């Protein structure tokens, strides 16, 4: 099995952008890799903005633009679908909005509190995407220290996601 690759990533981060409480981050990347049955080249940019409101709520937004191309393809038919899912060969231009509420007492080792979040992403042809879709996810986690067992914490969580593709409308010439 032959696997090798190169990745270049550059990030610019501006905390408290425009003297505000929000953080801005711009990331660009180039990636190229050689696989056993195909090679690929991926490039893109991503602009993120996040703002904390109060002690526990964070709002964020993201614009992302990327493109992946496969070449030197020798993929068996039964492997085509997983490769297409991991390396979609389309130009994607997406907008994402999210809200997160975090009341955990410790981010790395919580003993109590909750973490809940909602995120929605839209790929729009009007923004340069070759495909259109919408997807949303909701997640929630709860943490509780077990009574009588101070070294044990119960952690439970659930996630739900939905997605829909937009019908492509062909224009008359």
């Amino acid at each position: 099995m032959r696997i090798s690759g190169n990745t270049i990533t550059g990030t610019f981060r501006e905390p408290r952008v425009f003297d505000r409480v929000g953080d801005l981050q711009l990331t660009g990347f180039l990636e190229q890799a050689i696989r056993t049955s195909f090679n690929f080249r991926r490039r893109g940019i991503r602009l993120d903005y996040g703002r904390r409101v109060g002690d526990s709520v964070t709002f964020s937004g993201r614009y992302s633009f990327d493109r992946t191309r496969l070449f030197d393809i020798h993929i068996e038919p039964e492997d085509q679908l997983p490769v297409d899912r991991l390396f979609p060969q389309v130009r994607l231009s997406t907008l994402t909005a999210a809200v997160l509420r975090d009341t955990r007492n410790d981010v790395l080792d919580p003993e109590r509190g909750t973490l809940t979040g909602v995120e929605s992403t839209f790929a729009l042809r009007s923004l340069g995407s070759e495909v259109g879709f919408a997807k949303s996810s909701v997640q929630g986690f709860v943490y509780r220290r077990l009574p009588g067992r101070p070294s044990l914490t119960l952690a439970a969580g659930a996630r739900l996601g939905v997605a829909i593709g937009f019908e492509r409308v062909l224009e008359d010439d």
Side-chain angles (χ1 to χ4, degrees):
M1 177 182 258
R2 185 179 70 164
I3 298 176
S4 66
N6 297 306
T7 302
I8 298 171
T9 303
T11 299
F12 171 79
R13 181 172 180 263
E14 179 62 39
R16 296 176 305 281
V17 68
F18 307 120
D19 293 325
R20 305 280 186 214
V21 293
D23 292 337
L24 182 74
Q25 183 169 306
L26 176 64
T27 303
F29 64 89
L30 298 169
E31 179 181 15
Q32 184 168 321
I34 299 169
R35 301 284 194 245
T36 304
S37 56
F38 66 95
N39 301 329
F40 74 91
R41 187 175 299 122
R42 181 182 300 162
R43 63 180 185 247
I45 60 167
R46 186 168 138 171
L47 180 67
D48 292 279
Y49 177 77
R51 181 173 181 172
R52 192 171 183 100
V53 178
D55 291 334
S56 62
V57 177
T58 302
F59 291 96
S60 63
R62 173 184 317 125
Y63 171 74
S64 180
F65 184 88
D66 64 78
R67 182 175 208 135
T68 301
R69 289 288 177 225
L70 301 184
F71 55 97
D72 297 335
I73 301 170
H74 309 286
I75 301 171
E76 297 296 325
E78 64 270 12
D79 295 331
Q80 187 67 48
L81 185 59
V83 169
D84 288 345
R85 286 185 178 164
L86 292 172
F87 300 95
Q89 292 191 79
V90 293
R91 183 179 61 236
L92 287 178
S93 178
T94 60
L95 290 172
T96 302
V99 62
L100 184 71
R101 183 172 184 267
D102 187 355
T103 63
R104 297 173 295 175
N105 66 321
D106 188 311
V107 174
L108 298 177
D109 190 19
E111 295 176 339
R112 66 182 181 282
T114 61
L115 176 66
T116 54
V118 177
E119 180 176 289
S120 293
T121 299
F122 299 91
L124 304 170
R125 289 185 188 92
S126 61
L127 293 175
S129 191
E130 288 181 333
V131 296
F133 64 84
K135 64 181 180 176
S136 293
S137 64
V138 178
Q139 61 181 346
F141 303 91
V142 63
Y143 303 88
R144 298 287 182 259
R145 188 174 349 165
L146 295 176
R149 303 289 305 238
S151 63
L152 290 178
T153 300
L154 173 68
R159 292 185 176 125
L160 175 66
V162 295
I164 186 168
F166 299 149
E167 185 176 331
R168 185 168 204 151
V169 178
L170 299 175
E171 297 178 15
D172 293 333
D173 289 329

